[in-house]
Amino acid sequence: MPAESTHPAGPATASSAASSTAAPAASSTPPPTAAPTASEEHSTRGAYVTVGGSFDRDMNYIDDRITRDGRDGWPVEKDRYRLVAARACPWANRTLISRRLLGLEDVLSVGMPGPTHDKRSWTFDLDEGGVDPVLGYERLQQAYFARFPDYPRGITVPAVVDVPTKAVVTNDFQQITLDFATEWSDHHRAGAPDLYPEAQREEIDALNKWMLHHVNNGVYKVGFAGSQEAYEKEYRALWEALDELEERLGRSRYLLGPSITEADVRLFTTLIRFDPVYHGHFKANRQTLSSMPNLWNYTKDLFTTPGFGDTVDFEQIKRHYYFVHEDLNPTQVVPLGPALEPLLDPHDRDRFETDTWGPGGTAPAAPLAAEVVDPAHTPLQVTGR
């Protein structure tokens, strides 16, 4: 999405070379201007913060859907599509969790761009030769341009790409995981949880909409505020919402009761990034998440639940935010902290009624060996299959 690629107002322009502080020699010919370097030309400076303004996320995405009946021309098919999802991005992280929980790893392949990008696109710099081994692309934008040569918006993750044509199908992050839970059900593993139970869909939809505006995107509204007034307004709104969630999670193990749902997937990817990134980098610093008993124990609980924490790469997360957001961190220095080991401390969530995987549900198998997070980047040490 735009917060992880380019600002909704459009790509940043390259900043001009710095002017000399010395007085120019008298001349009728203007001194030559140095051409911008490649890094300056594609810098993200100016891409996230509008000075004096508020952050307004562009919510216009490619809304094609991959469905059982193929109504948009994209039927659900094993091995036809490739999910492109950077571990660094919270919105993409949702799709990695859903894919794990539902057991779609052997049906839907995944490409993982590196944690940094310039104003053009996410890149596959973690792959051998910097090229995605299935799509043959160096940049995700190539998949967008394969379908829309003049695509005018940010090149965002998550994106689902049609492998035969190597063209993007959708980047509608709000819908992708819902379709994983419903339209892809013929390919779910035995014991997969029902993340979007029909009886709770209205409540899940309402909660997800509220969390999107007040929490998931709320942290970005705080971090990318371009004025003191905008910052203070969004800061108060964010903490009001977090206080409400703190109270809610004092009544049940998960957001909607004893079992995990789509709502928990969506909240987790924001909470797990809060102390390492949003607290300092986005100035959402009333207090750390670790000082809020219910939210912190809930986060620890999900982090150690198979399918959640084993998708999280803290090194990539910090590298992305602190390096890419030049508007906020022009030095691009990435902090070493905070300590992550407390995420493995015991939690108190089993004091509530619990049916984590729902009726007949079971935990997912270990992640594929090729998809195990680098053990140097997480305190959660997992062995792949």
Side-chain angles (χ1 to χ4, degrees):
M1 45 265 22
E4 307 305 315
S5 179
T6 56
H7 190 276
T13 56
S15 51
S16 59
S19 302
S20 169
T21 56
S27 171
S28 59
T29 302
T33 301
T37 65
S39 60
E40 289 174 327
E41 181 184 359
H42 301 296
S43 168
T44 65
R45 285 190 291 274
Y48 296 100
V49 178
T50 301
V51 176
S54 302
F55 176 68
D56 183 19
R57 183 179 297 281
D58 182 352
M59 292 296 290
N60 292 295
Y61 294 94
I62 304 167
D63 60 2
D64 285 24
R65 293 176 59 191
I66 300 171
T67 57
R68 185 180 287 104
D69 62 7
R71 71 195 71 156
D72 291 342
W74 309 105
V76 171
E77 292 181 17
K78 183 179 185 295
D79 298 330
R80 175 169 175 176
Y81 305 100
R82 187 160 176 83
L83 171 66
V84 179
R87 291 196 190 277
C89 170
W91 321 92
N93 195 173
R94 296 175 178 182
T95 63
L96 296 175
I97 293 171
S98 294
R99 177 175 170 268
R100 283 269 297 118
L101 296 178
L102 300 173
L104 295 174
E105 295 104 320
D106 296 327
V107 177
L108 177 68
S109 69
V110 67
M112 295 186 185
T116 64
H117 59 74
D118 56 24
K119 75 177 183 182
R120 293 170 292 179
S121 174
W122 294 86
T123 56
F124 295 101
D125 47 276
L126 299 179
D127 293 307
E128 185 176 355
V131 175
D132 180 89
V134 172
L135 301 175
Y137 290 151
E138 295 180 354
R139 292 181 170 273
L140 178 57
Q141 71 178 182
Q142 293 170 268
Y144 280 70
F145 293 164
R147 185 172 175 203
F148 305 105
D150 300 316
Y151 188 73
R153 300 184 182 279
I155 306 300
T156 64
V157 291
V160 182
V161 178
D162 179 48
V163 174
T165 62
K166 299 184 179 180
V168 68
V169 175
T170 182
N171 64 344
D172 188 352
F173 72 101
Q174 293 281 80
Q175 188 63 45
I176 288 172
T177 52
L178 296 181
D179 285 341
F180 282 177
T182 55
E183 300 295 331
W184 290 74
S185 59
D186 289 345
H187 297 283
H188 288 180
R189 65 179 176 85
D194 185 354
L195 297 176
Y196 196 46
E198 195 163 354
Q200 293 180 297
R201 288 182 185 178
E202 185 175 345
E203 186 179 4
I204 291 172
D205 290 345
L207 180 57
N208 284 347
K209 182 177 180 180
W210 177 83
M211 289 194 301
L212 170 67
H213 294 293
H214 295 282
V215 181
N216 306 130
N217 194 39
V219 291
Y220 288 92
K221 292 177 184 179
V222 174
F224 294 151
S227 72
Q228 188 69 32
E229 181 181 10
Y231 166 74
E232 292 184 8
K233 174 188 174 183
E234 301 300 346
Y235 176 99
R236 293 189 182 97
L238 170 65
W239 282 105
E240 182 178 322
L242 289 173
D243 285 341
E244 187 170 333
L245 288 170
E246 172 74 7
E247 180 181 357
R248 182 186 187 111
L249 288 168
R251 300 192 295 268
S252 62
R253 183 156 188 170
Y254 305 107
L255 286 171
L256 279 86
S259 305
I260 58 171
T261 67
E262 170 78 11
D264 297 294
V265 174
R266 296 191 182 199
L267 180 58
F268 172 76
T269 59
T270 295
L271 297 184
I272 200 63
R273 287 161 173 76
F274 198 90
D275 285 3
V277 175
Y278 304 143
H279 178 269
H281 185 59
F282 279 178
K283 308 181 191 72
N285 59 356
R286 190 190 76 179
Q287 63 192 102
T288 60
L289 195 70
S290 60
S291 67
M292 303 182 77
N294 292 326
L295 279 168
W296 180 237
N297 280 287
Y298 169 82
T299 302
K300 290 190 294 180
D301 183 11
L302 288 180
F303 182 70
T304 54
T305 298
F308 284 85
D310 55 40
T311 69
V312 176
D313 186 314
F314 290 101
E315 188 69 21
Q316 289 194 31
I317 288 170
K318 291 194 297 181
R319 177 78 172 165
H320 169 73
Y321 284 92
Y322 286 97
F323 189 87
V324 171
H325 297 161
E326 295 179 60
D327 289 342
L328 304 186
N329 188 36
T331 66
Q332 297 181 306
V333 172
V334 179
L336 294 177
L340 301 172
E341 288 74 18
L343 281 165
L344 302 182
D345 289 345
H347 61 75
D348 64 358
R349 305 300 293 173
D350 49 9
R351 73 185 193 270
F352 297 110
E353 177 189 357
T354 298
D355 184 14
T356 298
W357 307 109
T362 59
L368 298 174
E371 297 178 13
V372 172
V373 174
D374 185 334
H377 296 177
T378 174
L380 192 66
Q381 305 300 293
V382 174
T383 301
R385 55 184 167 94

